[in-house]
Amino acid sequence: MLSQFPATGRLHEAVFEELAQFKSTDVDWRSGRTNFYVQFGGDDVLRVAKEAAALFFSENAHGLAAFPSVQRLQADVLGWLLDLVQAGPLADGCLTASGSESILFSLKAARDWAKARRPDLVTPKIIVPRSAHPAFEKAAGLLGLEVVRTSLRPDYRADVAAMRAQICPRTIAVAGSAPQFGHGVVDPIAEIAALAVENNLWMHVDACIGALFAPFARAAGATIPAFDFSVDGVRSISADIHKYGFGAKGASAALFRHSCWRPSYAFAFDDWPIGSYGSVGLAGTRSAAPIAAAWAVMRYLGHDGYVRIARQILDAFEQLRSGLQSIDGVEIVGEPDTPVLAWRPRDVALGDVVAAMSARGWFVRTMTGPPAIHVGMITLHQAPVVDAYLDSIRESLAELRRR
Ligand SMILES: *Cc1c(COP(=O)(O)O)cnc(C)c1O
């Protein structure tokens, strides 16, 4: 046994001293020197999210009869998200705690839908491009599905011909990402959806990143291809509130074209001594805090506010992209549609660049396909340090070339 349960309590201050001490070894995300894990929409937005979360810290979203306020907040957030993805009047969905959970229930609905028509189906298969999030495998493991990953086109988007070639009698679903996390490109969603319609397959769009970015970025002038329910054949969409929605972590949604699939994510049971039990999504007891934070941030920002932030993010991303392009010996991998990218050095070893950038205080993550430095979701805390980032790249490359 490595650890013993604390035998006695400690004073409030002592507890927080310890917490602060632990935290001091973490990456300082506020400095903008990591572009992973934290999305920031400004100090005002963060304050709104934190205050709303604190206000609903103890309330339980499992007890909506006791907390009609939470029911209202949840219904509003869900309705607003459905509006953003151009859902029709019959659409429905559920708030979940993560993009992974949203993908899980989207695929569960796909499986239930397929099994209802073909009860004898063993190990149903889903086909996704290689760039799809690992949450597809996680969900498939829980649901008894097989995932087949297909090759990408040279521009890193899904190769629909390769997906088509994998369709077999066991295939129940196809999916694409908007955008995918690696290269920031949006898959050819309309083409994949057409393939789904043609073969009577479920089509899921993983818009964990894009659902709360693309609508506002388009209003700010960006061109991002359509990927929502306006595309015929799309049946479900995963949308993370805790990424470009700037909500508290623990907030995502699975959105469905039709409410008839609700039994796949709304659970009901009554054969136990307590009587009727119901839950939506995976958890029973659920924190109302991320729901309240999501509601408050959306209410505070409104469409206008999100567009204003999207414009700032697009500007910072353009500054990063053109800066990278101007550096001799640096190549951007593909042509990102959204503020996510990968870049690689041409004439020095990637590992050396990582070390040189890390030594300059940047939290650097790499990817494998192709080997490159991955710049996750750009948000507002990175905007002020784009030039410093570019300077560090120039310095690092110069240093390595002198060796
Ligand atoms: C983040 C992400 C997910 C998974 O969401 P979690 O909230 O981390 O579980 C799925 N797909 C894409 C494209 C993502 O960026």
Side-chain angles (χ1 to χ4, degrees):
M1 197 170 65
L2 293 172
S3 230
Q4 246 180 2
F5 194 86
T8 54
R10 284 195 165 181
L11 290 176
H12 179 282
E13 299 90 272
V15 171
F16 280 86
E17 261 168 44
E18 266 193 293
L19 288 175
Q21 197 190 327
F22 295 155
K23 223 179 167 183
S24 68
T25 59
D26 292 347
V27 64
D28 174 16
W29 68 264
R30 288 302 287 257
S31 71
R33 287 183 169 249
T34 167
N35 37 55
F36 286 90
Y37 310 120
V38 180
Q39 285 76 42
F40 178 62
D43 284 306
D44 56 336
V45 176
L46 186 58
R47 212 181 97 213
V48 167
K50 280 187 178 179
E51 283 180 16
L55 192 62
F56 282 84
F57 179 86
S58 300
E59 281 66 18
N60 188 339
H62 191 39
L64 296 180
F67 305 112
S69 65
V70 179
Q71 179 155 33
R72 166 70 198 265
L73 300 180
Q74 186 164 266
D76 279 352
V77 170
L78 194 56
W80 294 340
L81 290 177
L82 288 168
D83 183 32
L84 274 186
V85 295
Q86 305 200 57
L90 296 177
D92 187 31
C94 66
L95 297 187
T96 70
S98 69
S100 303
E101 187 186 344
S102 299
I103 290 170
L104 172 68
F105 282 99
S106 298
L107 295 186
K108 182 171 182 292
R111 186 198 67 178
D112 295 349
W113 167 81
K115 285 247 182 185
R117 292 174 306 141
R118 299 156 64 193
D120 53 327
L121 200 57
V122 183
T123 322
K125 179 169 117 179
I126 62 174
I127 303 169
V128 303
R130 238 189 91 64
S131 53
H133 194 277
F136 282 91
E137 267 76 3
K138 193 189 276 185
L142 292 165
L143 295 168
L145 307 174
E146 181 197 350
V147 184
V148 171
R149 289 186 172 243
T150 52
S151 56
L152 305 178
R153 305 190 316 210
D155 65 1
Y156 302 99
R157 292 180 178 84
D159 182 338
V160 182
M163 295 179 80
R164 176 189 297 277
Q166 285 295 336
I167 295 176
C168 76
R170 285 192 293 117
T171 306
I172 61 160
V174 287
S177 311
Q180 38 99 313
F181 184 51
H183 319 90
V185 297
V186 174
D187 283 324
I189 297 301
E191 272 181 70
I192 304 173
L195 182 70
V197 170
E198 193 187 314
N199 293 278
N200 198 20
L201 305 173
W202 186 281
M203 167 73 180
H204 176 72
V205 175
D206 180 12
C208 276
I209 300 176
L212 278 137
F213 180 73
F216 309 120
R218 287 188 194 113
T223 308
I224 301 173
F227 57 74
D228 57 20
F229 290 123
S230 65
V231 178
D232 194 34
V234 173
R235 289 172 190 261
S236 56
I237 297 176
S238 42
D240 278 356
I241 302 167
H242 58 207
K243 286 175 181 160
Y244 278 118
F246 308 112
K249 286 176 188 63
S252 176
L255 307 170
F256 296 89
R257 181 181 287 276
H258 207 293
S259 62
C260 65
W261 302 313
R262 188 170 178 81
S264 290
Y265 47 92
F267 176 78
F269 186 75
D270 61 10
D271 190 13
W272 71 325
I274 317 295
S276 89
Y277 175 97
S279 72
V280 177
L282 197 56
T285 299
R286 275 190 305 142
S287 174
I291 300 168
W295 187 93
V297 169
M298 290 178 190
R299 203 81 180 89
Y300 172 73
L301 284 174
H303 196 276
D304 288 1
Y306 276 105
V307 173
R308 178 172 44 75
I309 292 175
R311 193 170 287 123
Q312 290 172 263
I313 291 172
L314 289 168
D315 286 348
F317 191 64
E318 191 43 44
Q319 189 188 348
L320 173 68
R321 179 157 52 179
S322 55
L324 287 170
Q325 275 163 350
S326 75
I327 300 177
D328 209 26
V330 162
E331 183 194 355
I332 296 175
V333 179
E335 286 181 36
D337 295 309
T338 54
V340 172
L341 63 71
W343 64 270
R344 55 185 168 181
R346 283 211 189 88
D347 55 345
V348 291
L350 182 65
D352 291 341
V353 178
V354 172
M357 290 296 285
S358 304
R360 285 170 172 76
W362 299 95
F363 181 82
V364 184
R365 290 206 49 175
T366 57
M367 53 189 275
T368 54
I373 289 174
H374 191 197
V375 178
M377 280 157 260
I378 293 289
T379 57
L380 294 189
H381 52 318
Q382 280 95 35
V385 296
V386 171
D387 278 335
Y389 184 69
L390 296 166
D391 285 344
S392 289
I393 297 174
R394 285 190 202 94
E395 283 169 30
S396 298
L397 294 179
E399 174 190 292
L400 295 170
R401 284 176 191 140
R402 277 198 302 273
R403 277 192 188 168

